[in-house]
Amino acid sequence: MKALTWQGKRDVRVEEVPDPRIEEPTDAVVRITSTAICGSDLHLYEVLGPYLKPGDVLGHEPMGIVEEVGSGVTRLKPGDRVVVPFNISCGSCWMCDRKLYAQCETTQVTSEGKGAALFGYTSLYGSVPGGQAEYLRVPHAQFGPIKVPETGPDERWLYLSDILPTAWQAVRYADTPPGGTLAVFGLGPVGQLSARIGRHLGADRVIGLDLVPERLEMARRHGIETLDVSRLDNVPGALIDLVDGRGPDAVIDAVGMEAHGSTSGRLAQAAAGMLPDKLARTMTDRAGVDRLTVLHAALKAVRRGGTVSISGVYGGEVDPMPLMEMFDRGVQVRMGQCHVRRWTDEIMPLLSGDGDPLGVEDLRTHRVPLAQAAQAYQMFQKKEDGCVKVVLAP
């Protein structure tokens, strides 16, 4: 089959790789009909190369048609249309019983000290072949895949794989009080959905912050107030002034480790990327730093006693944090990988109805053949051609 493989920094290629097959009784094989490029895939494209090897198959936002199931899978059958969550969870361990699916003890990558295995996401998370491919082997298919109706475009359901429940969790964690104000830093795909979900779940005001014109315009189409951070000298101060001189009740950081404007963090990441992989992994594990401009701005902008919810991916081990200010202001922080299946039952009714209250069909800006995936990665990273969300068609 054809699949997108990692070959080096900013070097991904579609190649022929072996077809997946049933290896365990709880496996399924899915023929992929749509598979998206996630913002966190760009971390593999740029920063996390030391944890990849040439030929690794990328991608963790897939959906498609079940082709085959193992003897231990009774809830699915060939022909079912399914979305595959990005984290691989058994559904029955101690963590899964508590709906902490991103920490599944059956698939935890204990050798790396990490949580549940992920599709297409480095040796840190199990080196499991990903879904930017024509076919995908799905472990623990007795629990993971989400059956969806046969009707409707793929984009109606595809985002259940990651970004829609990730945004839902970010808003739930933010816990904006009724009638309160939510600010969302970063209006990429997760930020766009977070802002819409915030409005849907009752925030009186939702303010989205970004510097890309197309992202700001998309947010405005959905009734979101926007701030262009490229025009602001003091982003936290502007937010505080905008919200009663107090600041928003809750802030979501939907950006993560590669934020703009973080010169020292960017240089440190670049330096690590120039080292041999073994040394780079050691440096990242023991002395890794992130680009923290957005996170620090979120912590300074939220009102006293407010909550910062972090959905953007961070990987630093020695990140400097303004703990005195956080403590003095009583800021609460919640974060973590999304527990996808924890939220899907809440979200499904919003996708199954006649309307589109979260605007999921107004997110994808580009749909391109899998063969053009390398060009799509470059376009997405450089934010060219108005690109907000890319879906690949195998």
Side-chain angles (χ1 to χ4, degrees), residues 206-285:
V206 179
I207 304 166
L209 299 93
D210 208 291
L211 46 69
V212 180
E214 293 83 2
R215 292 179 172 188
L216 293 163
E217 174 56 31
M218 178 178 280
R220 285 192 289 267
R221 285 204 301 271
H222 292 270
I224 309 303
E225 297 180 53
T226 61
L227 284 178
D228 183 345
V229 298
S230 68
R231 300 186 178 191
L232 300 174
D233 294 327
N234 180 352
V235 175
L239 262 180
I240 289 169
D241 290 343
L242 192 61
V243 189
D244 305 320
R246 188 179 296 120
D249 301 285
V251 177
I252 292 173
D253 172 0
V255 179
M257 67 170 71
E258 293 183 79
H260 289 277
S262 302
T263 304
S264 59
R266 184 171 66 252
L267 291 174
Q269 290 172 350
M274 296 171 64
L275 296 171
D277 283 355
K278 186 174 181 180
L279 288 176
R281 287 194 295 269
T282 300
M283 180 177 175
T284 300
D285 185 52

